[in-house]
Amino acid sequence: RVTLGLNSILESPNFSEEYWASFMDIVPQTYHGLGRRGQPIMLIRSGVDAASFNKLLSTGWEHAVEGVNAAVLCFLRCEECLFRKTVPRESKQIGHLTDRVTLIIDLWGVGLGHIGFAKDFLAVAVKQTVVLYPETLDRVLVVNAAWAFARLLWPILK
């Protein structure tokens, strides 16, 4: 956490606001309230233009920290916001601790051109999430996955 700067990433990230805005345009993430069991639900839409995402990844290396691309750091910034702000607020609202999150990854539009997305971003982001936020994922749902994802990209992520 310290070497990646996660303790201060909400207040002073290692990347510019322009890069952050580009990330949120290309990989939008939205909060969708609580599930039936009281867990927060996050939606990540990933079906973007492969060229735009590859450009985001390549410029992300300029702001990399300890070999972690700035695009992954942007994702971790979203995670920090979720666990520092949203989860405590929702826990207070429902009257008990809710420490697990349902993550929905919408892969509409993801195809063969998104191998860099799967290998360089999604796999690293999931790995960092498991290490930095152990036992916080209730479920991960992958929706709108094309055959290319099922046959080619899923083995990279597993």
Side-chain angles (χ1 to χ4, degrees), residues 92-146:
K92 185 177 179 182
Q93 180 181 343
I94 62 174
H96 63 81
L97 178 64
T98 175
D99 59 351
R100 297 191 181 254
V101 176
T102 296
L103 182 63
I104 302 170
I105 302 172
D106 185 354
L107 295 177
W108 183 86
V110 173
L112 293 175
H114 291 84
I115 288 180
F117 165 76
K119 184 176 66 119
D120 298 331
F121 173 72
L122 203 52
V124 176
V126 168
K127 180 181 175 186
Q128 291 292 331
T129 298
V130 168
V131 170
L132 296 167
Y133 311 100
E135 299 182 21
T136 56
L137 286 176
D138 182 48
R139 293 183 181 161
V140 176
L141 305 171
V142 178
V143 298
N144 297 323

Side-chain angles (χ1 to χ4, degrees), residues 77-104:
R77 186 182 196 200
C78 293
E79 295 277 301
E80 282 293 309
C81 183
L82 176 69
F83 290 112
R84 280 203 233 162
K85 295 181 178 182
T86 306
V87 167
R89 182 186 69 229
E90 296 297 346
S91 293
K92 185 177 179 182
Q93 180 181 343
I94 62 174
H96 63 81
L97 178 64
T98 175
D99 59 351
R100 297 191 181 254
V101 176
T102 296
L103 182 63
I104 302 170

Side-chain angles (χ1 to χ4, degrees), residues 12-31:
S12 57
N14 297 324
F15 42 82
S16 66
E17 284 298 318
E18 181 181 330
Y19 188 83
W20 171 251
S22 295
F23 175 81
M24 292 307 288
D25 284 342
I26 294 171
V27 189
Q29 301 180 37
T30 52
Y31 174 69

